[in-house]
Structure formats: C-alpha cells, structure tokens
Amino acid sequence: KHIYTDSLASMSLIIKILLSPGNLLQCKHLDQLTQIRHALERRAKAGVATHLHKAKSHVGVTGNEQADKHAQHATEGDAC
C-alpha cells in the first residue's frame, strides 16, 4: 500500500516516531503519531508493506487552499 502526502513535516514526524519515538515525547502530536506507528507496525506484522510518498502540493485545486489553512491552523506553534 502507498500513502501520499504533500506534507513533508508529516512524513518526517512519521519516520521519527518509527525510528526514534523517544525523541518525540514532548511532541504535541504524540498521540496521533503513536496511533500511526501502531497501525504501520500491525500492517508490517501482517506482511503488508507501506510506502510513504511525497506528493506535489495541490496549488490551484479548488478547496485545497482552505484545507491548507485549516491544517496550518491545527499545527501552529512548534512542530513538536
């Protein structure tokens, strides 16, 4: 399975939670990242590979700018 995102920050945090979760103990997104880690680990144990891909941002796509504003608002402040 493949997961595509235009958020390099999200990809970075997912990789960090997989490789060195202890470094994210103060991250405000720790609960969500832990859930993602557990889901990816369950998939791996079931023999399902998961590939993360960086997609181009959707500049000019109807509604995307509003979605980006909401996402930015949700992640304001420091990344972790």
Side-chain angles (χ1 to χ4, degrees), residues 2-6 51-55:
H2 300 270
I3 298 173
Y4 295 86
T5 180
D6 66 349
H51 305 276
L52 299 176
H53 302 276
K54 172 70 172 81

Side-chain angles (χ1 to χ4, degrees), residues 28-48:
K28 66 181 179 179
H29 305 295
L30 182 60
D31 290 340
Q32 293 90 346
L33 290 167
T34 300
Q35 290 176 24
I36 291 168
R37 185 186 86 213
H38 289 159
L40 293 173
E41 288 172 345
R42 283 191 304 273
R43 291 171 56 82
K45 286 180 184 176
V48 179

Side-chain angles (χ1 to χ4, degrees), residues 12-31 33-34 37 78-80:
S12 176
L13 288 172
I14 291 169
I15 291 167
K16 285 181 184 178
I17 197 70
L18 292 169
L19 299 179
S20 54
N23 292 338
L24 295 174
L25 295 178
Q26 300 300 316
C27 180
K28 66 181 179 179
H29 305 295
L30 182 60
D31 290 340
L33 290 167
T34 300
R37 185 186 86 213
D78 48 349
C80 280

Side-chain angles (χ1 to χ4, degrees), residues 52-71:
L52 299 176
H53 302 276
K54 172 70 172 81
K56 289 185 180 182
S57 63
H58 305 275
V59 175
V61 174
T62 304
N64 188 67
E65 284 78 12
Q66 188 66 29
D68 286 345
K69 286 180 186 177
H70 288 296

